[in-house]
Amino acid sequence: MKPTIEPTPGATAPPLPLPSGLDPALAATLTARWEAGPGAVLAREFTNLYGHRDGAADAWNALLSTAAGLAARRDPELHALDAERAQRPDWFLDPGMLGYSTYVDRFGGGFSGVTARIDWLQGLGVRYLHLLPFLRPRDGDNDGGFAVSDYDEVDPRLGTMDDLVGLARRLRASGISLGADLVLNHTADDHAWAVAARAGDPRYRAFYHVYPDREVPDRFEATLPQIFPLTAPGNFTHDAALDAWVWTTFYPFQWDLDWSNPDVFVAMAATLLRTANRGVEVLRLDSIAFLWKRQGTDCMNQPEVHAILRALRALVDVFAPGVLLKAEAIVPMRDLPPYFGGAQGPECHLAYHSSLMTAAWASLALGDTAMLRRVLRDTPTLGPCCSWLTYVRCHDDIGWKVLAPEAVGGDREPPVDLGWVAGFYAGSRADSFADGRPFQSADGGVHGTSGMAADLCGIGRAQRAGDPRAMAEAVDRLLLLYGVAMCCGGLPTLYMGDEIALGNDLAFDDDPGRRHEGRWLHRPAMDWERAADPHAHAPAGVVLARLRAMVAVRRDQSALHAAAPRRVLDAGNPSLLVLARGDQFIGVFNFGPRAVRFAPPVDSWHDLLDASVRGMSFVVRPWGQCWLERG
Ligand code: GLC
């Protein structure tokens, strides 16, 4: 049984200490927010997590004085945003919301290049832009920027901090919220804290998990998973300067922070608020599941992770309430709902629905939607002001392991061989349309799959074969997956390049700095030539036009609001997914290679994606979809 944290009975908010000289209106606002609940939650969680530790009282005082100081320096425009969002806290559940995720350099070269491409994002209908890590990373290998050397400096190759702040402002003025990664599980091994630890400073040595020998690491290792089993096996790295073993869940140069140390909490909470002050409106909490370590467990999803999240959310709710927290917890679905919070307080506003994404790919390979239907049926209804982030691809591999619980099968579903699915996308089966590659999978093992969506859907193969029918089917498959992401209730997020069917980037194979890391296969540079004239680069024009049309239809459909009720209907055919949103909208998605006739339960309906189609029954072509509206 997992241990739980008992809340301190009857904890109430202590007074909020505020610096003298603070603008009285701001002081009143902060105090009101503090007293509305977050103050009590923060005090309770901080006490439970750290009350027994030396220095906890000093850490608490430092936390509050830093937070108040940062609130005093927060841009008036952001204070205004805080107030506006307080009036409409569910703003991001709107069907007009669309996300877009990209690396700064791959999309625009630097911050100014991204600014120059805002019109492209607006043309797509994007309202939330997730820029992958742009802070100063360590030199050399840095896990695509996820090894951060300095949270207060940007990567100089991308521009300056002022450029970033200017970009955030320009985006906001264009109706787009900027999102950024907050890498809080680990720092780079050349971050100032790690450097100080190596130099023998005990304060900073205590920022990390450092062990003099293998005894404790070996005990932990017995139950720990491997994130990069081929390129970074094991979870601990021997560091010569420390003459000790340091916890490194990901790469050896990413040192896990010790969140049981109150000084780590204070330092990272301040980092969060400083990032928010730069105009970042959505914080992607990277690798959040890994923050707390407990022997005998997989050291993921521990109760203390949720206590930390409640404390961070409370801080945000007082000092930067316009900001959203997004959980990057790539864990089986049953472990996800707690990341939104519960009776003990709210946690994140958003969380990646990786099981849904992965199940959609599995169903596409199998031509059978049983897995997808099960995931959707089991997807819980969320509380008010919470939403899934739905997506098709991102900068990471498709990690099959999140589906392990569903893959064993259930009362209504047969078991699924994820090894077969992974093999299908690696293109190793004669009947496959996909051009992907296994990621971190030793012979036949099931770990992940790399590849751009277009190539995983067969666009590359169809192009090479010069086969127009195969091409049309591959395009349908790509749009089918985006259709599910747009209809099932959440904030759908495009991955850069998918809108113009950009394929795999094979160039990384020849780059000695990247070739060991298969995820670079799906991190190409944006092809602006193709974007400028998509019809000259088939099938980019068709993909772009149809995707834009889907976004436009979605925008006006209140049935596709993230919180609108969702129900999986019995389709009578295993290749169909039929999803009702309320009683006015039915999405019909055909994951199989044969056309299927579908008759909605009652009444006459019309297809929002094809104005000419209406009636009592519909033929859904292979890999086709209908968005049916009643009437
Ligand atoms: C997240 C990122 C991934 C990175 C890892 C370690 O999962 O998405 O790209 O490798 O965290 O920071």
Side-chain angles (χ1 to χ4, degrees):
M1 221 182 83
K2 281 188 180 172
T4 54
I5 301 176
E6 290 301 327
T8 309
T12 50
L16 174 63
L18 291 172
S20 57
L22 191 68
D23 168 51
L26 178 58
T29 304
L30 295 179
T31 304
R33 290 185 196 141
W34 176 264
E35 289 174 354
V41 173
L42 182 59
R44 182 191 70 210
E45 301 303 353
F46 194 90
T47 307
N48 287 333
L49 285 163
Y50 305 117
H52 61 288
R53 294 278 307 235
D54 288 347
D58 289 346
W60 172 255
N61 292 335
L63 175 68
L64 293 186
S65 65
T66 306
L70 285 166
R73 291 198 292 282
R74 190 161 166 79
D75 190 317
E77 202 181 294
L78 296 174
H79 279 304
L81 186 78
D82 291 337
E84 188 189 312
R85 298 265 157 90
Q87 296 304 309
R88 233 194 111 210
D90 66 348
W91 62 277
F92 57 101
L93 273 59
D94 193 276
M97 283 300 290
L98 179 73
Y100 191 93
S101 175
T102 184
Y103 278 100
V104 174
D105 60 339
R106 310 309 266 166
F107 184 71
F111 298 123
S112 58
V114 175
T115 307
R117 299 293 183 186
I118 289 178
D119 56 345
W120 177 256
L121 299 171
Q122 285 184 303
L124 289 169
V126 170
R127 301 255 310 270
Y128 156 58
L129 175 65
H130 167 215
L131 292 179
L132 282 150
F134 49 70
L135 296 176
R136 190 160 72 74
R138 77 192 285 280
D139 287 338
D141 204 0
N142 54 41
D143 188 19
F146 283 97
V148 178
S149 300
D150 193 328
Y151 294 97
D152 294 300
E153 273 183 26
V154 295
D155 183 340
R157 289 166 293 199
L158 305 176
T160 65
M161 189 58 92
D162 283 347
D163 295 336
L164 172 75
V165 172
L167 169 60
R169 196 171 289 133
R170 285 285 298 276
L171 286 166
R172 197 169 319 113
S174 312
I176 300 173
S177 296
L178 175 62
D181 291 276
L182 186 67
V183 185
L184 26 71
N185 177 66
H186 44 264
T187 70
D189 61 352
D190 67 349
H191 187 284
W193 302 337
V195 172
R198 274 197 176 119
D201 185 333
R203 171 175 158 83
Y204 290 105
R205 194 176 162 111
F207 266 45
Y208 300 97
H209 300 270
V210 179
Y211 304 97
D213 53 42
R214 286 291 312 186
E215 194 194 326
V216 176
D218 283 344
R219 261 189 267 140
F220 272 109
E221 201 72 87
T223 52
L224 284 175
Q226 304 264 333
I227 308 300
F228 301 131
L230 299 186
T231 51
N235 288 275
F236 299 88
T237 300
H238 188 264
D239 185 78
L242 288 173
D243 189 22
W245 292 85
V246 60
W247 198 308
T248 55
T249 299
F250 295 90
Y251 279 102
F253 49 78
Q254 288 163 304
W255 289 15
D256 287 39
L257 287 162
D258 183 354
W259 279 81
S260 72
N261 177 348
D263 293 341
V264 167
F265 182 93
V266 175
M268 291 312 289
T271 300
L272 185 161
L273 293 175
R274 281 198 301 275
T275 309
N277 273 8
R278 295 182 177 123
V280 173
E281 296 179 34
V282 182
L283 288 163
R284 175 184 181 276
L285 306 181
D286 183 66
S287 307
I288 188 71
F290 294 88
L291 253 46
W292 199 272
K293 323 295 187 191
R294 172 167 283 111
Q295 263 184 43
T297 74
D298 60 3
C299 296
M300 294 171 77
N301 312 311
Q302 295 300 307
E304 290 85 350
V305 170
H306 295 290
I308 291 167
L309 278 173
R310 286 190 293 273
L312 292 176
R313 171 67 182 267
L315 264 183
V316 164
D317 282 349
V318 176
F319 297 102
V323 166
L324 300 182
L325 300 182
K326 175 170 72 161
E328 195 252 346
I330 307 303
V331 297
M333 194 172 65
R334 58 165 184 240
D335 296 320
L336 264 177
Y339 284 89
F340 292 103
Q344 295 184 59
E347 298 183 21
C348 295
H349 305 81
L350 287 160
Y352 286 86
H353 201 330
S354 57
S355 294
L356 179 69
M357 178 277 290
T358 311
W361 283 107
S363 293
L364 190 68
L366 295 160
D368 181 311
T369 59
M371 172 79 100
L372 188 51
R373 279 179 275 137
R374 171 160 177 200
V375 167
L376 275 165
R377 253 190 232 115
D378 293 350
T379 295
T381 301
L382 302 178
C385 304
C386 292
S387 172
W388 302 105
L389 185 131
T390 58
Y391 61 123
V392 174
R393 287 295 292 117
C394 70
H395 69 290
D396 284 331
D397 55 303
I398 303 172
W400 301 109
K401 287 188 170 166
V402 294
L403 285 182
E406 287 84 7
V408 296
D411 295 345
R412 295 198 252 177
E413 298 83 14
V416 167
D417 179 355
L418 291 173
W420 185 93
V421 173
F424 181 92
Y425 285 111
S428 54
R429 324 207 91 86
D431 55 350
S432 174
F433 45 72
D435 266 342
R437 288 191 192 172
F439 177 68
Q440 302 282 334
S441 315
D443 309 324
V446 187
H447 195 94
T449 293
S450 288
M452 287 295 281
D455 276 332
L456 294 175
C457 287
I459 287 178
R461 283 193 185 217
Q463 210 138 32
R464 289 199 299 278
D467 179 342
R469 182 166 161 203
M471 179 60 86
E473 290 177 346
V475 166
D476 277 345
R477 287 192 282 263
L478 177 60
L479 294 165
L480 177 74
L481 295 177
Y482 270 107
V484 172
M486 286 187 202
C487 289
C488 64
L491 196 177
T493 296
L494 284 165
Y495 183 55
M496 184 214 79
D498 286 354
E499 72 272 34
I500 52 165
L502 208 55
N504 293 337
D505 182 11
L506 299 172
F508 88 100
D509 276 336
D510 302 322
D511 180 345
R514 294 188 296 155
R515 67 172 158 230
H516 63 283
E517 236 294 352
R519 289 177 295 174
W520 286 104
L521 183 66
H522 49 255
R523 297 171 181 173
M526 181 63 172
D527 185 342
W528 288 112
E529 210 183 296
R530 186 187 298 198
D533 191 4
H535 290 287
H537 298 82
V542 180
V543 170
L544 186 61
R546 286 179 56 193
L547 206 55
R548 279 188 175 142
M550 288 159 71
V551 172
V553 168
R554 182 176 189 272
R555 194 165 33 225
D556 299 328
Q557 276 298 314
S558 56
L560 296 180
H561 185 277
R566 172 185 50 233
R567 201 156 43 95
V568 177
L569 302 185
D570 189 5
N573 185 308
S575 54
L576 287 193
L577 166 71
V578 181
L579 195 62
R581 303 296 312 279
D583 55 9
Q584 300 297 317
F585 181 95
I586 297 179
V588 190
F589 306 91
N590 185 359
F591 278 70
R594 270 171 290 283
V596 179
R597 181 170 287 280
F598 170 74
V602 283
D603 285 351
S604 178
W605 297 69
H606 62 276
D607 187 352
L608 292 162
L609 297 180
D610 184 346
S612 65
V613 181
R614 57 171 56 243
M616 309 281 285
S617 84
F618 299 81
V619 175
V620 196
R621 66 171 182 266
W623 297 293
Q625 59 189 309
C626 302
W627 292 14
L628 303 178
E629 186 180 42
R630 203 170 194 155

